[in-house]
Amino acid sequence: MPQVEELISPQALAARVKELAAQIRRDYQGRSLLVVGVLKGAFVFTADLVRALDGLDVQVDFIAVSSYGAATETSGTVRILKDLDMPVEGRHVLLVEDILDTGLTLRYLLDYLSRQRPASLRVCVLLDKPSRRKVEVPVDYVGFAIPDRFIVGYGIDWAEQYRHLPYVGALREEEGADRE
Ligand code: IMP
Ligand code: MG
């Protein structure tokens, strides 16, 4: 298995999640919020974020998508593997995603959710790789901007490995890790 280099420590992640949550609490004060986590990659981030939103009226749902098949990169054809359980119409929705890379996945999800007429729709991503963008996506909350490395940990996988790491890391390239 490829070696992982720690990029963002558990402490730095916790501190940033707290800051994002403070911003979100201010923005949604007095409103009822539906947080939608994108599985599987955002499951840890979503869990930490919603627990920092105490004081807000929050409901949590998940949508599961697959954008990386055997191919190296997002094709733009996103498949919904598990749809939302709750109706989105008239709700203030905050979509929570692990990584914004080319933007194709979030673009697809934003279009998909917009068609269901939410009262508002915002995006929170933990990690942004701005150098790889193919389509512009409006993002409201960003944890960290990162360089173009293959990221794992804190929910994010390489071939279903490393999701359980408590930090965000990058695969060491000298180990010959290819994009999955
Ligand atoms: P996009 O559609 O190219 O923006 O890709 C976003 C999706 O690709 C994210 O939801 C991630 O699941 C996945 N992804 C992008 N970069 C990485 C990475 O470095 N490691 C693991 N998954 C990634
Ligand atoms: Mg993902």
Side-chain angles (χ1 to χ4, degrees):
M1 289 238 297
Q3 292 230 294
V4 179
E5 174 192 340
E6 181 175 306
L7 293 185
I8 308 172
S9 70
Q11 294 74 22
L13 286 164
R16 189 69 187 119
V17 166
K18 247 184 162 176
E19 290 173 355
L20 291 172
Q23 238 181 303
I24 292 167
R25 280 204 308 268
R26 276 195 303 275
D27 294 350
Y28 289 92
Q29 208 52 251
R31 283 188 278 172
S32 168
L33 174 62
L34 177 61
V35 172
V36 174
V38 183
L39 296 174
K40 298 179 195 174
F43 84 101
V44 175
F45 179 41
T46 305
D48 282 347
L49 188 68
V50 295
R51 284 180 294 171
L53 293 178
D54 48 300
L56 272 193
D57 173 5
V58 174
Q59 290 181 317
V60 184
D61 202 350
F62 291 97
I63 190 164
V65 298
S66 130
S67 47
Y68 283 42
T72 336
E73 284 187 11
T74 298
S75 52
T77 354
V78 176
R79 258 192 324 142
I80 294 181
L81 306 176
K82 181 223 164 282
D83 208 339
L84 295 172
D85 296 331
M86 276 181 273
V88 154
E89 186 170 355
R91 301 298 312 270
H92 294 288
V93 175
L94 179 63
L95 191 58
V96 177
E97 172 64 312
D98 54 358
I99 303 182
L100 173 56
D101 189 21
T102 64
L104 292 167
T105 306
L106 272 175
R107 177 78 273 154
Y108 178 90
L109 284 172
L110 284 174
D111 291 346
Y112 178 72
L113 293 175
S114 303
R115 286 197 295 273
Q116 301 173 45
R117 302 167 190 276
S120 69
L121 180 55
R122 287 189 179 189
V123 178
C124 175
V125 295
L126 178 66
L127 305 170
D128 180 14
K129 288 183 191 171
S131 65
R132 303 227 330 137
R133 201 78 80 253
K134 284 183 184 157
V135 289
E136 277 318 307
V137 178
V139 181
D140 304 279
Y141 311 95
V142 178
F144 302 87
I146 54 164
D148 179 21
R149 302 278 306 272
F150 197 91
I151 298 300
V152 295
Y154 199 66
I156 301 161
D157 79 307
W158 172 75
E160 291 301 328
Q161 303 289 335
Y162 306 111
R163 289 195 198 275
H164 64 301
L165 298 179
Y167 53 86
V168 165
L171 295 188
R172 285 192 192 281
E173 279 159 28
E174 60 270 33
E175 298 293 321
D178 286 325
R179 281 173 178 281
E180 158 92 354

